[in-house]
PDB file of all heavy atoms in Angstrom:
ATOM      1  N   ALA A 142      18.467  24.206  -5.814  1.00  0.00           N
ATOM      2  CA  ALA A 142      19.098  23.013  -5.061  1.00  0.00           C
ATOM      3  C   ALA A 142      18.045  22.122  -4.500  1.00  0.00           C
ATOM      4  O   ALA A 142      16.871  22.373  -4.402  1.00  0.00           O
ATOM      5  CB  ALA A 142      20.033  23.639  -3.902  1.00  0.00           C
ATOM      6  N   ASP A 143      18.534  20.936  -3.967  1.00  0.00           N
ATOM      7  CA  ASP A 143      17.653  19.914  -3.578  1.00  0.00           C
ATOM      8  C   ASP A 143      18.294  19.305  -2.310  1.00  0.00           C
ATOM      9  O   ASP A 143      19.471  19.346  -2.105  1.00  0.00           O
ATOM     10  CB  ASP A 143      17.324  18.822  -4.558  1.00  0.00           C
ATOM     11  CG  ASP A 143      16.566  19.160  -5.788  1.00  0.00           C
ATOM     12  OD1 ASP A 143      15.447  19.670  -5.680  1.00  0.00           O
ATOM     13  OD2 ASP A 143      17.065  19.078  -6.857  1.00  0.00           O
ATOM     14  N   LEU A 144      17.536  18.663  -1.515  1.00  0.00           N
ATOM     15  CA  LEU A 144      18.005  17.861  -0.413  1.00  0.00           C
ATOM     16  C   LEU A 144      18.096  16.426  -1.011  1.00  0.00           C
ATOM     17  O   LEU A 144      17.095  15.858  -1.533  1.00  0.00           O
ATOM     18  CB  LEU A 144      17.060  17.898   0.790  1.00  0.00           C
ATOM     19  CG  LEU A 144      17.053  19.078   1.598  1.00  0.00           C
ATOM     20  CD1 LEU A 144      16.213  18.953   2.850  1.00  0.00           C
ATOM     21  CD2 LEU A 144      18.329  19.737   1.889  1.00  0.00           C
ATOM     22  N   GLU A 145      19.204  15.762  -0.767  1.00  0.00           N
ATOM     23  CA  GLU A 145      19.378  14.411  -1.343  1.00  0.00           C
ATOM     24  C   GLU A 145      19.929  13.516  -0.241  1.00  0.00           C
ATOM     25  O   GLU A 145      20.591  13.816   0.644  1.00  0.00           O
ATOM     26  CB  GLU A 145      20.382  14.461  -2.506  1.00  0.00           C
ATOM     27  CG  GLU A 145      20.539  13.087  -3.303  1.00  0.00           C
ATOM     28  CD  GLU A 145      21.222  13.243  -4.672  1.00  0.00           C
ATOM     29  OE1 GLU A 145      21.478  14.468  -4.996  1.00  0.00           O
ATOM     30  OE2 GLU A 145      21.525  12.357  -5.327  1.00  0.00           O
ATOM     31  N   VAL A 146      19.302  12.165  -0.357  1.00  0.00           N
ATOM     32  CA  VAL A 146      19.629  11.260   0.737  1.00  0.00           C
ATOM     33  C   VAL A 146      20.577  10.329   0.098  1.00  0.00           C
ATOM     34  O   VAL A 146      20.501   9.753  -1.075  1.00  0.00           O
ATOM     35  CB  VAL A 146      18.415  10.522   1.182  1.00  0.00           C
ATOM     36  CG1 VAL A 146      18.710   9.367   2.266  1.00  0.00           C
ATOM     37  CG2 VAL A 146      17.339  11.385   1.815  1.00  0.00           C
ATOM     38  N   TRP A 147      21.624   9.877   0.951  1.00  0.00           N
ATOM     39  CA  TRP A 147      22.717   8.922   0.474  1.00  0.00           C
ATOM     40  C   TRP A 147      22.837   7.806   1.523  1.00  0.00           C
ATOM     41  O   TRP A 147      22.615   8.004   2.727  1.00  0.00           O
ATOM     42  CB  TRP A 147      24.151   9.738   0.340  1.00  0.00           C
ATOM     43  CG  TRP A 147      23.925  10.831  -0.551  1.00  0.00           C
ATOM     44  CD1 TRP A 147      23.428  12.083  -0.111  1.00  0.00           C
ATOM     45  CD2 TRP A 147      24.548  11.003  -1.838  1.00  0.00           C
ATOM     46  NE1 TRP A 147      23.752  12.977  -1.102  1.00  0.00           N
ATOM     47  CE2 TRP A 147      24.240  12.287  -2.195  1.00  0.00           C
ATOM     48  CE3 TRP A 147      25.088  10.173  -2.687  1.00  0.00           C
ATOM     49  CZ2 TRP A 147      24.631  12.863  -3.485  1.00  0.00           C
ATOM     50  CZ3 TRP A 147      25.504  10.710  -3.969  1.00  0.00           C
ATOM     51  CH2 TRP A 147      25.244  12.045  -4.266  1.00  0.00           C
ATOM     52  N   LEU A 148      23.329   6.566   1.076  1.00  0.00           N
ATOM     53  CA  LEU A 148      23.829   5.651   1.929  1.00  0.00           C
ATOM     54  C   LEU A 148      25.403   5.711   1.711  1.00  0.00           C
ATOM     55  O   LEU A 148      25.842   5.579   0.576  1.00  0.00           O
ATOM     56  CB  LEU A 148      23.281   4.299   1.619  1.00  0.00           C
ATOM     57  CG  LEU A 148      21.779   3.962   2.126  1.00  0.00           C
ATOM     58  CD1 LEU A 148      21.447   2.579   1.856  1.00  0.00           C
ATOM     59  CD2 LEU A 148      21.704   4.257   3.660  1.00  0.00           C
ATOM     60  N   ILE A 149      26.158   5.544   2.824  1.00  0.00           N
ATOM     61  CA  ILE A 149      27.629   5.636   2.765  1.00  0.00           C
ATOM     62  C   ILE A 149      28.272   4.338   3.328  1.00  0.00           C
ATOM     63  O   ILE A 149      27.843   3.821   4.330  1.00  0.00           O
ATOM     64  CB  ILE A 149      28.113   6.790   3.517  1.00  0.00           C
ATOM     65  CG1 ILE A 149      27.714   8.114   2.910  1.00  0.00           C
ATOM     66  CG2 ILE A 149      29.665   6.836   3.777  1.00  0.00           C
ATOM     67  CD1 ILE A 149      28.072   9.338   3.812  1.00  0.00           C
ATOM     68  N   LEU A 150      29.144   3.841   2.597  1.00  0.00           N
ATOM     69  CA  LEU A 150      30.091   2.722   2.967  1.00  0.00           C
ATOM     70  C   LEU A 150      31.280   3.285   3.558  1.00  0.00           C
ATOM     71  O   LEU A 150      32.156   3.930   2.902  1.00  0.00           O
ATOM     72  CB  LEU A 150      30.397   1.827   1.807  1.00  0.00           C
ATOM     73  CG  LEU A 150      31.535   0.768   2.098  1.00  0.00           C
ATOM     74  CD1 LEU A 150      30.949  -0.290   2.981  1.00  0.00           C
ATOM     75  CD2 LEU A 150      32.032   0.119   0.785  1.00  0.00           C
ATOM     76  N   PRO A 151      31.443   3.266   4.891  1.00  0.00           N
ATOM     77  CA  PRO A 151      32.584   3.944   5.589  1.00  0.00           C
ATOM     78  C   PRO A 151      33.812   3.097   5.503  1.00  0.00           C
ATOM     79  O   PRO A 151      33.660   1.880   5.347  1.00  0.00           O
ATOM     80  CB  PRO A 151      32.122   4.074   7.034  1.00  0.00           C
ATOM     81  CG  PRO A 151      31.090   2.970   7.241  1.00  0.00           C
ATOM     82  CD  PRO A 151      30.489   2.703   5.950  1.00  0.00           C
ATOM     83  N   ASP A 152      35.019   3.825   5.469  1.00  0.00           N
ATOM     84  CA  ASP A 152      36.272   3.104   5.523  1.00  0.00           C
ATOM     85  C   ASP A 152      36.616   2.819   6.915  1.00  0.00           C
ATOM     86  O   ASP A 152      35.956   3.212   7.889  1.00  0.00           O
ATOM     87  CB  ASP A 152      37.293   3.988   4.695  1.00  0.00           C
ATOM     88  CG  ASP A 152      37.548   5.242   5.330  1.00  0.00           C
ATOM     89  OD1 ASP A 152      37.115   5.521   6.517  1.00  0.00           O
ATOM     90  OD2 ASP A 152      38.021   6.138   4.513  1.00  0.00           O
ATOM     91  N   ALA A 153      37.909   2.234   7.100  1.00  0.00           N
ATOM     92  CA  ALA A 153      38.326   1.886   8.396  1.00  0.00           C
ATOM     93  C   ALA A 153      38.479   3.087   9.451  1.00  0.00           C
ATOM     94  O   ALA A 153      38.287   2.900  10.544  1.00  0.00           O
ATOM     95  CB  ALA A 153      39.593   1.139   8.328  1.00  0.00           C
ATOM     96  N   ALA A 154      38.710   4.235   8.822  1.00  0.00           N
ATOM     97  CA  ALA A 154      38.880   5.385   9.646  1.00  0.00           C
ATOM     98  C   ALA A 154      37.590   6.222   9.834  1.00  0.00           C
ATOM     99  O   ALA A 154      37.550   7.266  10.511  1.00  0.00           O
ATOM    100  CB  ALA A 154      39.934   6.357   8.994  1.00  0.00           C
TER     101      ALA A 154
END
Side-chain angles (χ1 to χ4, degrees):
D143 295 299
L144 294 184
E145 191 162 352
V146 179
W147 308 76
L148 283 183
I149 294 174
L150 171 68
D152 59 22

